[in-house]
Amino acid sequence: MTPRTPFPAPELNRLTDRQTARIRLYCVPPSGTGSEFFLPWTAAFSELFELVAVDLPGRGTRTGEPSITDIGWAAAGIAEEIAADLRHRPPADGFYAVFGHSFGALLAYEATHRLRSASRTEPDLLALSAVPPPDRDGLDDHIARNLGSGIAVITEIMGWEPPADDALTRTVYTPFLADAVALLHHTRRAWPPLRARLSVFGGLDDPMVDPETLHEWSACTTADARVHRFPGGHHYLRTQVAEVVGRLTDDLLAAYRNPAGDW
């Protein structure tokens, strides 16, 4: 008998199907959300870009499934899905990138290392948003310090109004709580530096990530790193779509046009 896997596997959702695309961007959404988080990006990126988003169980269109509460499992699953997609539908010029925001940035970082170790491939660019550098207090430390505040701290971070009824509370907060468990269980690893270029994004008023520390991500790659800061808190990205996409587009095109040189 084949043993049952502990969690449903991550899946990919192709948000655009552009025949003229030269750059493929895999997007990992933040805690509690699915691929729908990146739908506003589809119109902001030109026809040169193909957007593929990660769907994790327990959120978005997969609300009825149990959430993954193991970051290593989730990251390995994301890496496997990306590697399979690259094999079955290679990018036009072989160029691809990975982007993640907040919890999704941690998953993107971990998945990138697993892509390298298991599939011998790395993205040409890894873009990380609203996540502390590895040697700083992580998202798990923030969760641990605020356990006593419970759901209230999630509501504050997300800038939401409290749900009006119990059913909505379960739907909205269950995946966040599952991700909090995953963070608290997570054991950080000392990964070797990547070869991929890094683009690092953050909010100037982020209570979870000190924007002055974002440059420390440069130690995680042997290539170049760019840092971009924007007005707003931890989820600055929700109100800065055009600005973030603009900077990310610049970085992607620079890496695409000059794959071996400095930015």
Side-chain angles (χ1 to χ4, degrees), residues 4-247:
R4 293 182 61 186
T5 58
F7 307 105
E11 296 175 355
L12 297 181
N13 180 13
R14 190 159 257 100
L15 299 181
T16 61
D17 191 5
R18 294 169 172 168
Q19 301 302 315
T20 58
R22 315 309 296 181
I23 296 172
R24 183 173 301 166
L25 178 61
Y26 294 99
C27 302
V28 189
S31 179
T33 66
S35 59
E36 74 281 352
F37 181 86
F38 292 104
L39 285 176
W41 287 32
T42 58
F45 275 104
S46 75
E47 294 292 322
L48 288 174
F49 299 88
E50 180 181 28
L51 269 65
V52 182
V54 171
D55 266 323
L56 293 172
R59 61 219 64 207
T61 59
R62 304 181 68 185
T63 299
E65 302 176 57
S67 296
I68 299 174
T69 56
D70 184 296
I71 285 176
W73 178 275
I78 291 169
E80 290 171 5
E81 288 296 309
I82 291 175
D85 192 58
L86 293 171
R87 290 194 302 269
H88 298 149
R89 185 168 169 166
D93 297 321
F95 187 102
Y96 76 99
V98 179
F99 174 91
H101 177 65
S102 187
F103 181 71
L106 178 60
L107 291 179
Y109 179 65
E110 297 268 342
T112 295
H113 280 283
R114 285 166 171 80
L115 274 168
R116 179 169 71 173
S117 60
S119 302
R120 301 296 187 265
T121 179
E122 282 187 42
D124 296 274
L125 183 141
L126 173 63
L128 303 172
S129 169
V131 65
D135 291 337
R136 296 281 181 170
D137 281 359
L139 301 178
D140 53 331
D141 295 294
H142 185 85
I143 294 294
R145 283 193 296 268
N146 290 278
L147 276 176
S149 300
I151 284 177
V153 73
I154 298 176
T155 304
E156 180 181 359
I157 291 170
M158 298 301 297
W160 289 343
E161 293 294 327
D165 58 72
D166 292 342
L168 185 59
T169 297
R170 285 193 295 271
T171 299
V172 171
Y173 287 108
T174 297
F176 283 97
L177 296 174
D179 294 341
V181 170
L183 283 166
L184 292 172
H185 277 303
H186 181 50
T187 300
R188 302 184 209 179
R189 293 176 58 176
W191 296 103
L194 296 164
R195 295 187 299 272
R197 287 168 168 170
L198 290 186
S199 289
V200 184
F201 298 78
L204 289 169
D205 301 310
D206 190 340
M208 300 175 68
V209 185
D210 182 355
E212 297 303 319
T213 66
L214 294 177
H215 70 278
E216 296 174 13
W217 274 106
S218 62
C220 299
T221 179
T222 58
D224 299 322
R226 287 180 174 178
V227 176
H228 308 289
R229 301 179 181 90
F230 300 87
H234 190 65
H235 285 290
Y236 72 92
L237 192 150
R238 292 180 183 274
T239 59
Q240 304 277 333
V241 170
E243 293 80 3
V244 172
V245 168
R247 294 290 183 86

